[in-house]
Amino acid sequence: MDGDTLVLNILGRPRAKRTKIGKVIGNQLEIHVAEEPVRGRATAHLVDFLADEFGVPKSAITVVFGVYNVNKQLRITAPKKLPSPIPPR
């Protein structure tokens, strides 16, 4: 956490059968994404998914780096809920 902002390091797994949160690997949260990694579509799908998971609007999620890469860092402002693999603050 950075104030009221959650900083997430993500390991994206595109081309999955369904979008879901996986396990923690090192300092990254693995997320399976049911989208092709073409022109940032998988990252856009990931942001849509995480907005629902954290109970925030898409505008509350910022991709710091990794739009076109499986390794990403996201900042989620004032998450309303935390999915189970993420420990409470």
Side-chain angles (χ1 to χ4, degrees):
M1 292 295 291
D2 181 15
D4 71 337
T5 302
L6 176 66
V7 179
L8 278 180
N9 291 315
I10 303 287
L11 175 60
R13 301 285 193 194
R15 297 186 188 105
K17 290 184 181 180
R18 66 183 178 103
T19 301
K20 65 178 184 173
I21 296 176
K23 58 188 173 189
V24 176
I25 300 174
N27 68 343
Q28 292 181 304
L29 179 62
E30 178 184 45
I31 301 182
H32 301 269
V33 180
E35 184 61 74
E36 291 293 316
V38 178
R39 294 186 299 274
R41 286 190 349 209
T43 300
H45 182 78
L46 174 68
V47 169
D48 288 344
F49 171 74
L50 291 178
D52 289 339
E53 289 291 309
F54 286 94
V56 298
K58 290 187 285 187
S59 60
I61 300 176
T62 304
V63 180
V64 178
F65 63 81
V67 171
Y68 303 112
N69 195 309
V70 295
N71 297 300
K72 306 174 186 312
Q73 186 176 81
L74 279 64
R75 296 176 65 84
I76 303 173
T77 304
K80 304 285 186 270
K81 55 187 179 176
L82 295 176
S84 62
I86 299 172
R89 9 180 175 167

